Amino acid sequence: MSQQKQFRAIKGTRDILPPDSSLWNWFERQARETFESYSFRDIRTPIFEDTDLFARSVGTDTDIVSKEMYTFSASSEAASHDGEQMSLRPEGTASVCRAYIEHGMHTLPGNLKLYYSGPMFRRERPQKGRYRQFYQMGAEVLGPSDAPGIDAEVIEMLVVLFRRVGLEKITLYVNSIGCKECRPKYVELLRVELRNAKDQLGPDSQRRIETNPLRVLDSKLPEEQVIIERLPRISDHLCEACRAHFAKLKDELALRDIAYEENWRLVRGLDYYTRTTFEVTAAGLGSQNAVCGGGRYDGLVELLGGPPTKGIGFAIGADRAILSIQESGKLPHLPGLAVFVAWMGLKAYPTAVAMARKLRERGLIVELPAEEMKFKKSLGLADKLGAKYALIIGEDEVASGTYTLKRLSDANQQKLAEPELLEYLESERRGL
Ligand code: HAM
């Protein structure tokens, strides 16, 4: 007999099951509420786009575009796209900028503040905190102004969220990588210095001397660290405007009491950045400890065919943020099953159905067995499901109009008429 194939989630992808999914929902809720309190609004873009969109914005020489994208051909039915390549989105910024241009959002007043949440796809080597389908919650500010106060407010929002969800031992790193005026000169200087040290570098860095010397600064190879530490630093080569922007950003962070570390090697793995870059690391994550990355990308909208626009944003790796919260062991109190309706006798069933609905309308989580169960079995199941209370409804209870409410933790019982019962459980709701 041939063996049935056992299907499993594809390498680098995973199922998020209860109770973890409750923690995910909670985290996403905290993020949405925080972002909305800063006047950001939700944007939902497709999970696949024209491959060129990512190539042009993230950069053809980046690891993301050159090695990690899931790319496929448009179907022949989509005549207008025939022959074009599409990719699952590896990140969200490019799509937000594409939507900004497509919908003429530059005509909206002020700077536009958008946030998004959803799966991203990169064909990376899976390990703890690194998946091929992972989830980001990101925020972007697009519009006419590049005031450093915007950068600082975006960073403040992030710090406020991380504090709210109890992320531990977070460190914020900031840097400025200059603009199209000063960075090319610095990159050239770096290239010259790196060529001199070429023999001491590994193959990846050797290749990057020509393709993207800035990325050498990202190297974690122990043998390259001495060389990198001796390289010229961008902070000494910023133009006057970038230097002033970075200085003002640091003032704005101080004004907000936000602790940070300057890290001149924080260049980020995407090509669209200008000036401000930042990253946040958290505890409990091992080598993949960046829970968030972001920065300024003035000029990206123009590069994609839109009007001159400034931009800044970040994306939180939700998988990593949640992993860090789990590793800390300090989980939030999340509402669980409050009431198990233990009904017995077919005459009790209509009352049980009505009571379950009334409790649910009052915000309680209620389980109602669809089939009659023996009393002992019913209470046993209530216990196994972790219910706080069992509401016992038998034919006698229906006749008398009073119901027995049993607290399962200590078997404490009280008999209550419907109005008192509903009132009591509603008042208990917050603690359940
Ligand atoms: P990124 O640094 O490539 O930036 O990704 C942001 C965050 O996504 C990372 O810090 C990490 O937490 C998470 N992440 C990235 N790759 C993986 C993976 N394979 N598995 C799990 N988590 C991952 C961006 O994507 C930019 N679009 C951020 C941005 C928005 N910059 C400006 N606006």
Side-chain angles (χ1 to χ4, degrees):
M1 250 198 9
S2 70
Q3 273 245 299
Q4 277 275 344
K5 179 171 177 176
Q6 289 294 305
F7 294 104
R8 302 183 68 92
I10 295 201
K11 188 176 168 198
T13 72
R14 62 203 180 120
D15 303 307
I16 296 160
L17 309 174
D20 291 356
S21 50
S22 301
L23 186 63
W24 275 76
N25 284 333
W26 169 83
F27 177 81
E28 287 165 3
R29 217 162 39 242
Q30 306 309 306
R32 284 175 194 282
E33 282 178 19
T34 305
F35 297 166
E36 285 179 9
S37 75
Y38 281 79
S39 179
F40 282 72
R41 286 180 299 167
D42 195 7
I43 179 168
R44 299 176 190 220
T45 62
I47 62 162
F48 57 96
E49 300 261 8
D50 191 321
T51 302
D52 286 344
L53 172 68
F54 301 117
R56 208 171 321 157
S57 40
V58 177
T60 38
D61 289 332
T62 58
D63 287 352
I64 296 176
V65 171
S66 67
K67 302 189 210 155
E68 297 169 359
M69 284 209 297
Y70 289 92
T71 298
F72 49 97
S73 293
S75 90
S76 56
E77 289 144 34
S80 60
H81 280 279
D82 213 10
E84 282 183 22
Q85 300 279 300
M86 302 183 180
S87 297
L88 295 183
R89 61 181 185 193
E91 60 105 50
T93 311
S95 303
V96 171
C97 291
R98 196 258 316 130
Y100 181 82
I101 300 166
E102 186 170 335
H103 303 289
M105 288 193 265
H106 62 282
T107 58
L108 296 171
N111 279 314
L112 185 66
K113 297 157 106 178
L114 299 169
Y115 74 85
Y116 51 89
S117 169
M120 307 290 161
F121 306 86
R122 296 183 193 174
R123 194 187 280 108
E124 293 193 82
R125 195 172 46 79
Q127 64 183 88
K128 182 180 174 187
R130 198 208 263 158
Y131 311 98
R132 291 180 167 180
Q133 174 171 337
F134 60 99
Y135 296 80
Q136 284 188 343
M137 295 203 77
E140 316 286 352
V141 183
L142 289 154
S145 171
D146 62 356
I150 300 174
D151 308 36
E153 194 184 67
V154 159
I155 293 173
E156 176 191 303
M157 179 165 90
L158 194 60
V159 171
V160 163
L161 171 63
F162 285 170
R163 241 182 249 146
R164 177 169 171 172
V165 297
L167 263 187
E168 293 204 321
K169 299 200 188 95
I170 63 165
T171 309
L172 165 68
Y173 297 96
V174 297
N175 190 24
S176 174
I177 56 163
C179 65
K180 60 177 187 298
E181 300 303 322
C182 52
R183 195 178 32 211
K185 291 180 207 148
Y186 171 70
V187 168
E188 221 18 70
L189 187 66
L190 206 56
R191 186 171 277 136
V192 171
E193 293 292 326
L194 286 168
R195 279 188 190 137
N196 290 338
K198 190 170 177 181
D199 299 348
Q200 292 143 273
L201 298 171
D204 278 346
S205 292
Q206 288 199 0
R207 190 170 34 81
R208 286 179 174 143
I209 296 176
E210 303 312 322
T211 58
N212 191 352
L214 275 181
R215 294 283 289 146
V216 175
L217 305 183
D218 243 3
S219 160
K220 307 269 182 313
L221 281 184
E223 58 275 24
E224 293 184 346
Q225 301 311 308
V226 231
I227 299 147
I228 294 171
E229 280 306 312
R230 275 195 240 118
L231 290 170
R233 302 185 172 203
I234 184 119
S235 51
D236 299 326
H237 299 272
L238 293 177
C239 64
E240 211 28 61
C242 287
R243 194 189 303 278
H245 191 275
F246 194 34
K248 187 78 173 50
L249 166 65
K250 290 185 271 183
D251 289 347
E252 289 269 2
L253 290 175
L255 179 75
R256 291 168 167 80
D257 273 333
I258 295 171
Y260 63 89
E261 280 180 32
E262 259 185 83
N263 178 0
W264 70 280
R265 290 176 56 177
L266 185 63
V267 292
R268 314 264 304 120
L270 303 93
D271 281 356
Y272 50 60
Y273 290 112
T274 52
R275 294 190 167 166
T276 311
T277 55
F278 56 94
E279 238 168 57
V280 179
T281 59
L285 294 171
S287 66
Q288 302 303 311
N289 64 351
V291 275
C292 176
R296 183 160 277 293
Y297 48 86
D298 304 339
L300 175 57
V301 168
E302 265 170 288
L303 186 70
L304 297 174
T309 307
K310 314 289 186 194
I312 180 159
F314 63 77
I316 297 167
D319 307 76
R320 295 185 190 173
I322 289 161
L323 199 59
S324 177
I325 295 169
Q326 285 171 326
E327 297 267 325
S328 77
K330 293 182 192 143
L331 299 181
H333 172 78
L334 297 173
L337 178 57
V339 181
F340 184 97
V341 182
W343 61 274
M344 277 140 292
L346 288 178
K347 286 203 187 117
Y349 186 56
T351 309
V353 170
M355 203 64 104
R357 193 188 58 240
K358 287 176 195 168
L359 290 169
R360 287 167 178 154
E361 280 167 3
R362 284 163 173 76
L364 290 140
I365 302 175
V366 177
E367 180 70 30
L368 172 76
E371 286 171 307
E372 190 174 10
M373 295 172 76
K374 293 244 160 46
F375 185 61
K376 240 180 122 178
K377 223 174 148 196
S378 195
L379 286 193
L381 180 59
D383 210 34
K384 278 190 207 140
L385 292 176
K388 294 284 164 6
Y389 290 97
L391 176 60
I392 299 157
I393 307 181
E395 290 177 5
D396 291 348
E397 279 84 0
V398 173
S400 70
T402 56
Y403 308 96
T404 304
L405 187 67
K406 180 169 178 172
R407 191 161 60 209
L408 294 170
S409 58
D410 59 2
N412 172 292
Q413 296 205 141
Q414 43 183 333
K415 276 190 178 300
L416 298 164
E418 181 178 318
E420 288 79 51
L421 177 81
L422 294 177
E423 200 181 312
Y424 173 76
L425 283 173
E426 201 178 346
S427 72
E428 285 285 282
R429 183 165 63 99
R430 299 217 176 279
L432 296 176

